[in-house]
């Protein structure tokens, strides 16, 4: 399962940090939580939905806890997660910077939408109705459009 959804897990982790070391730490935490929760997985949802939910919950919890603790100084690693050497890379970086300024829950919703998930899948993962996801996505997109690049 992890091999199949590895990209999904990394995508979630990257949305919560652009520091390669932090992304790796988040990835490990998600794996631990998937392992701990696997026995409780009843199959009420698809494995994909379950992995998205565990990944998002893990990253949100760690992000919230991190804000309560003393900041740390990350080690620098020569591992470029996203190159900004070309125009499309710069635009993607700008979008990610804007998304990172959103509230945590809105970040999760836009991440799922950017991954081309259907509204009903997003609703199942975040625990909202499909209509609530539709209206929140509209509001989030408007908020992203109105943000400046600074």
């Amino acid at each position: 399962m992890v091999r199949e959804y590895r990209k999904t897990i990394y995508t979630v982790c990257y949305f919560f940090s652009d520091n390669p070391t932090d992304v790796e730490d988040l990835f490990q935490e998600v794996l631990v939580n998937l392992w701990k929760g696997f026995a409780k997985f009843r199959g009420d949802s698809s494995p994909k939905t379950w992995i998205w939910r565990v990944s998002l919950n893990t990253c949100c919890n760690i992000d919230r806890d991190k804000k309560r603790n003393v900041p740390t100084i990350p080690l620098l690693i020569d591992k470029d997660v996203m190159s900004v050497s070309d125009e499309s890379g710069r635009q993607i970086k700008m979008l990610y910077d804007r998304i990172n300024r959103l509230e945590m829950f809105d970040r999760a919703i836009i991440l799922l939408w950017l991954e081309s998930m259907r509204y009903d899948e997003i609703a199942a993962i975040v625990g909202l109705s499909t209509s609530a996801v539709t209206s929140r996505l509209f509001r989030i997109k408007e908020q992203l459009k109105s943000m400046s690049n600074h």
Side-chain angles (χ1 to χ4, degrees), residues 12 16 45 48-57 60 103-113 117-137 139-140:
V12 173
F16 285 87
S45 62
K48 178 181 177 181
T49 300
W50 179 69
I51 287 173
W52 270 102
R53 179 168 271 182
V54 170
S55 299
L56 284 170
N57 286 340
C60 286
E103 294 295 322
M104 183 97 49
F105 194 68
D106 291 344
R107 267 193 266 170
I109 291 172
I110 198 72
L111 165 63
L112 296 168
W113 179 78
M117 295 191 100
R118 296 186 328 262
Y119 285 26
D120 61 325
E121 291 176 306
I122 296 171
I125 291 168
V126 299
L128 293 175
S129 68
T130 304
S131 61
V133 167
T134 302
S135 60
R136 279 193 87 123
L137 271 169
R139 184 184 53 76
I140 292 166

